[in-house]
Amino acid sequence: MKQKYILILLFSISASLVTAQETHVLGRYDINIDGNTKETALIKEMDLKEGATFETLEDLQYAVSRQEQDLINLRVFNEISLTLDEGFKEGDSIIHTVKLDAQDSWTIYPIPYPKYSSNEGFRLGLKTYYDNAFGSLNNLYLGMNITFKQDKYYDEFRVTEWTFNPQLNEVKLGNLEYDFSFMQQYAIGEKKEDGEFLEHYNYHNTELSVSTKLAFGNDNKFYYRMTPSVGLNYGYTGLYDKSSEEPLYLGFSHSVGYSRVDWFGNFREGLSASAGNSLKYVMVQGASNQFKASINGDLRWYKILNSRINYSTRLYGTVGLNDELTGLGVNLRGVEDSTMFGRSGYFLSNDFNIAVIKWKGVGEAQFQPFFDIGFTTPMDGSIEWDSDLRYSTGADFILYLDKLKGLHARASIGVDLSSDLPFTDLGKYGLEISSSLAY
């Protein structure tokens, strides 16, 4: 009988201790914005909402720190900080206020640019970015360009490509974000082997697509992304196989992945991984409709070694399930895009980002030596390593500006070490000037 009373007493004490355990509540945000960002847009953007409850102060502190880093990763603020107060007791809870101070970066910039790529030729273009458009944290983009090239197939200098591409990105509707894109372009398709064209053709393309991402798991590190699209291809001219035509198509690409990559200044730290599947249903008038599919995997890792060196690596693979993949050389800097094609491709990149010049208040210049290697498998499955294994080395030169967080410029020069061409032949080298990072 005594044991029964002791057990009841112990149970009552433990129950009262659990009941008395204090919880920590994010009561409200105290927001101060220096700029045009709307407070409602900022609150909508944040995953950490007012009223969120945590069992320990440490859990709340981590959540606030994680939310601050997520806002830094947007690259639209010069400065942003979240500060947690000591709180006040209310019943069994401690109610906290988070002070949020943000200073907008200048985020609208039209960038007229000349670009040269040994693969594509000379390009004149205009990229207009308006990140955090009208203080909404939605991003507007308009890309327009025209490409000229000494076309070896026609043996003349001519327009080979042009693009008109407006986008509205990071649109938060409910709990999801959407990206909307319209593409109108005059595009080129090429396949080349041993210096000879197997295919060389131009066509017009019109495409509409929408993309959304569902985040889940702790800190929303895991995600599922899907992108349905509809498009038309028409006006084919040149040398091509009739089976290459895709007059009307419905596309659906989707992927699952993990991403925890953070920006610290102009260096990145973390890991991302994804596995994806692309489906395309092609409707051909007067012929059998076609169903094409491919799968791919992507792994990226970034590590800050010290204040001057940031190491990064990427492993990428893609497999066409019932269709040939072309232009796979785009995954190797210094290698001509059209010379790599087949059933599948596998690629590895290694880079060391070295901060050469750090000018506080102005910007940062980085020197990035790289080594890329990869191979493709032919449609018949028989690999010839002498021609199918490709590798290159070279360096990227990257410029960041402090006042334009979302903008950078990159010049890349690579040499195709697997090519039989002598080092005195310019065809052995690849040059690219771009406003986007390699990965």
Side-chain angles (χ1 to χ4, degrees), residues 156-408:
E156 64 181 17
F157 191 74
R158 62 191 292 267
V159 173
T160 55
E161 296 177 273
W162 56 258
T163 297
F164 176 75
N165 178 213
Q167 299 176 19
L168 177 61
N169 300 322
E170 310 291 334
V171 180
K172 199 147 191 174
L173 300 174
N175 294 323
L176 299 178
E177 286 187 348
Y178 295 85
D179 298 337
F180 301 91
S181 174
F182 170 77
M183 174 68 80
Q184 181 64 52
Q185 62 178 331
Y186 178 60
I188 189 170
E190 289 183 329
K191 283 171 56 180
K192 186 187 288 187
E193 188 173 43
D194 298 327
E196 298 294 329
F197 284 108
L198 303 180
E199 289 189 339
H200 184 288
Y201 60 94
N202 284 91
Y203 62 99
H204 292 269
N205 168 258
T206 303
E207 182 179 283
L208 288 168
S209 67
V210 59
S211 176
T212 188
K213 183 173 76 172
L214 175 64
F216 54 93
N218 294 333
D219 299 333
N220 293 326
K221 291 180 290 190
F222 297 90
Y223 66 87
Y224 170 74
R225 178 181 289 278
M226 60 179 178
T227 307
S229 60
V230 58
L232 295 167
N233 293 322
Y234 48 94
Y236 285 82
T237 58
L239 171 67
Y240 64 96
D241 189 318
K242 192 72 174 175
S243 63
S244 298
E245 290 189 356
E246 297 179 348
L248 172 63
Y249 62 87
L250 300 175
F252 183 79
S253 63
H254 59 139
S255 61
V256 294
Y258 166 94
S259 181
R260 179 54 72 219
V261 177
D262 296 321
W263 283 90
F264 297 96
N266 295 311
F267 281 171
R268 287 175 287 180
E269 175 109 6
L271 173 75
S272 71
S274 67
N277 172 220
S278 294
L279 308 171
K280 183 183 283 188
Y281 184 68
V282 182
M283 287 158 273
V284 183
Q285 187 176 5
S288 299
N289 295 340
Q290 304 171 19
F291 181 77
K292 300 180 179 182
S294 65
I295 58 175
N296 63 79
D298 192 303
L299 177 66
R300 307 178 186 197
W301 184 58
Y302 307 87
K303 179 64 177 177
I304 299 175
L305 302 181
N306 56 48
S307 62
R308 291 282 180 174
I309 302 177
N310 186 192
Y311 172 74
S312 62
T313 185
R314 181 196 186 204
L315 180 64
Y316 175 73
T318 182
V319 179
L321 301 181
N322 57 352
D323 188 37
E324 186 176 47
L325 305 174
T326 60
L328 294 177
V330 70
N331 296 290
L332 302 179
R333 287 159 286 187
V335 173
E336 189 174 353
D337 298 354
S338 61
T339 61
M340 298 190 74
F341 50 88
R343 184 179 299 279
S344 63
Y346 307 90
F347 309 93
L348 174 66
S349 296
N350 287 282
D351 299 73
F352 282 93
N353 291 19
I354 303 170
V356 179
I357 299 174
K358 288 187 175 184
W359 190 352
K360 190 172 182 179
V362 177
E364 180 175 315
Q366 294 180 5
F367 170 67
Q368 180 181 325
F370 66 80
F371 179 76
D372 293 348
I373 187 170
F375 67 94
T376 56
T377 61
M379 292 299 290
D380 61 10
S382 58
I383 299 177
E384 297 181 7
W385 292 108
D386 287 345
S387 58
D388 295 328
L389 177 67
R390 311 293 291 275
Y391 43 96
S392 63
T393 189
D396 290 358
F397 303 86
I398 306 169
L399 177 64
Y400 294 90
L401 298 177
D402 287 352
K403 295 299 182 182
L404 301 174
K405 291 293 185 181
L407 177 65
H408 35 258

Side-chain angles (χ1 to χ4, degrees), residues 116-130:
Y116 174 76
S117 165
S118 52
N119 282 294
E120 300 173 346
F122 296 93
R123 175 173 295 173
L124 296 176
L126 176 67
K127 291 185 177 183
T128 303
Y129 298 89
Y130 189 9

Side-chain angles (χ1 to χ4, degrees), residues 10 30-31 42 80 84 111 127-128 154 189 340 381 418 423:
L10 291 173
D30 179 12
I31 297 177
L42 193 57
I80 188 161
L84 181 68
I111 307 171
K127 291 185 177 183
T128 303
Y154 290 102
M340 298 190 74
S418 54
F423 284 93

Side-chain angles (χ1 to χ4, degrees), residues 6-20:
I6 292 173
L7 288 173
I8 292 174
L9 179 62
L10 291 173
F11 178 79
S12 300
I13 293 172
S14 61
S16 64
L17 288 173
V18 171
T19 303

Side-chain angles (χ1 to χ4, degrees), residues 410-423:
R410 178 175 68 96
S412 176
I413 183 168
V415 54
D416 185 353
L417 299 176
S418 54
S419 170
D420 293 330
L421 294 173
F423 284 93

